[in-house]
Amino acid sequence: MNGEPEVHEEFEARLKAYEGRPAAATGVGRDPVNEPMIRHWCEAMGDTSPAYTGPDAIAPPTMLQAWTMAGLTRRPERTAAYDELLRLLDESGYDAVVATDCEQEYPRPLRPGDEITFDSVIESVSGLKTTKLGAGHFVTTRTDIRAGGELAGTHRFRILKYSPAHRPKDPTPGPAKEPRPRPVINRDNAGFWEGVARHELLIQRCTGCGDLRFPWLPGCNSCGCPEWDTVEASGEGTVYSYVVMHHPPFPAFEPPYAVGLIELVEGVRIVSNVVGVPYDKVRIGMPVRLEFRRYDDALVLPVFQGVTP
């Protein structure tokens, strides 16, 4: 992995040979586009757009990947080439993985009853990149999604296969704790994380119709307006839903712990940890209050303190 330059050039040439090879072939959606899944999605996202209900309903465009997901089973359309690429990276020391970002295009809307087919290709494998997580290679796949043979959407998904900059030490009493994963910051959400650094929880507000939205998006779900400003959340809210994480364990976390979908008084929802109360005492409807918790010199995250009677 860290050999002479010509050795790494040869390795990168092997990686580049995978570009253009299929990652998934002749995939078929497990279910047609359907109203129950659309309803569940809209309820979870708090999206009340009338475009997603009624006789002329369309599916929310951002559900695009949901129609291709396999659940907990390995799908038969996944190709040997993609598995080989990941195995090559693993065997070369780039054995950690993190999803970095995705891009989607929507040539035409999906409607209830549409039957989905899709194919994926390994679009690109980057040269060696140095990141805060460690050195590694970005792997981008492109999935073309069709309905009735017509292109309905394109989904690009990018992961980083990397060698952790700080690998766990051998088991000894009191080993150093792994750092928390870093948030993926891009042009659409950079303002949110700048606010977090100032201990402000900022919510986008459409300047066209005034709707508030979270998470941050480049345009308004309600009216389509691309212009927006922000309002600062008061920090008060309630637990709308929650899960308690027991497994799998991650080095930076200490299970069990509660992860809540928090409904802010402003009407939007955010996912974060519920702290300050035992995990088994968290309840739907529990009042919570925002606080900002520093996890290391470079990372501050918004969490929510449970408020018990």
Side-chain angles (χ1 to χ4, degrees), residues 72-111:
L72 299 178
T73 59
R74 187 186 186 280
R75 296 298 294 271
E77 63 270 1
R78 181 159 157 173
T79 64
Y82 190 64
D83 287 337
E84 288 171 8
L85 172 60
L86 298 186
R87 186 163 55 249
L88 175 59
L89 288 163
D90 285 344
E91 292 171 351
S92 302
Y94 306 106
D95 52 3
V97 62
V98 62
T100 63
D101 61 279
C102 71
E103 300 173 7
Q104 294 184 338
E105 300 172 14
Y106 316 114
R108 82 138 169 102
L110 293 172
R111 301 182 184 280

Side-chain angles (χ1 to χ4, degrees), residues 40-283:
H40 295 323
W41 175 280
C42 290
E43 288 178 354
M45 300 301 294
D47 192 339
T48 59
S49 171
Y52 309 138
T53 60
D56 297 321
I58 63 172
T62 50
M63 281 189 75
L64 186 65
Q65 189 185 17
W67 308 113
T68 68
M69 296 180 75
L72 299 178
T73 59
R74 187 186 186 280
R75 296 298 294 271
E77 63 270 1
R78 181 159 157 173
T79 64
Y82 190 64
D83 287 337
E84 288 171 8
L85 172 60
L86 298 186
R87 186 163 55 249
L88 175 59
L89 288 163
D90 285 344
E91 292 171 351
S92 302
Y94 306 106
D95 52 3
V97 62
V98 62
T100 63
D101 61 279
C102 71
E103 300 173 7
Q104 294 184 338
E105 300 172 14
Y106 316 114
R108 82 138 169 102
L110 293 172
R111 301 182 184 280
D114 280 340
E115 300 277 355
I116 299 302
T117 58
F118 60 93
D119 297 277
S120 296
V121 64
I122 302 168
E123 189 169 62
S124 65
V125 185
S126 78
L128 186 64
K129 303 294 183 182
T130 301
T131 74
K132 289 183 179 179
L133 292 174
H137 297 267
F138 289 93
V139 178
T140 304
T141 55
R142 188 192 77 241
T143 301
D144 292 327
I145 298 162
R146 295 177 173 83
E150 181 182 0
L151 184 65
T154 297
H155 175 82
R156 285 181 173 84
F157 189 71
R158 187 171 295 111
I159 62 172
L160 172 65
K161 289 285 289 178
Y162 66 99
S163 176
H166 304 287
R167 288 188 177 273
K169 298 179 181 178
D170 293 335
T172 56
K177 188 175 180 180
E178 279 284 290
R180 283 221 173 192
R182 269 36 189 174
V184 175
I185 300 175
N186 55 40
R187 62 186 179 185
D188 291 330
N189 66 12
F192 170 76
W193 291 107
E194 290 167 2
V196 168
R198 300 190 299 268
H199 289 202
E200 299 173 353
L201 185 64
L202 299 180
I203 304 169
Q204 280 184 311
R205 177 175 57 191
C206 175
T207 56
C209 66
D211 275 8
L212 301 182
R213 64 178 184 263
F214 193 91
W216 281 35
L217 296 169
C220 180
N221 276 332
S222 298
C223 72
C225 177
E227 304 299 329
W228 52 270
D229 58 13
T230 62
V231 296
E232 183 178 357
S234 68
E236 304 295 325
T238 57
V239 176
Y240 184 83
S241 182
Y242 72 96
V243 296
V244 175
M245 299 296 297
H246 294 273
H247 188 81
F250 295 100
F253 300 85
E254 298 177 357
Y257 55 92
V259 178
L261 178 62
I262 308 301
E263 186 164 72
L264 301 176
V265 295
E266 289 80 10
V268 299
R269 299 173 190 151
I270 179 174
V271 175
S272 186
N273 289 101
V274 180
V275 302
V277 294
Y279 69 89
D280 57 352
K281 300 298 183 185
V282 176
R283 295 289 183 268

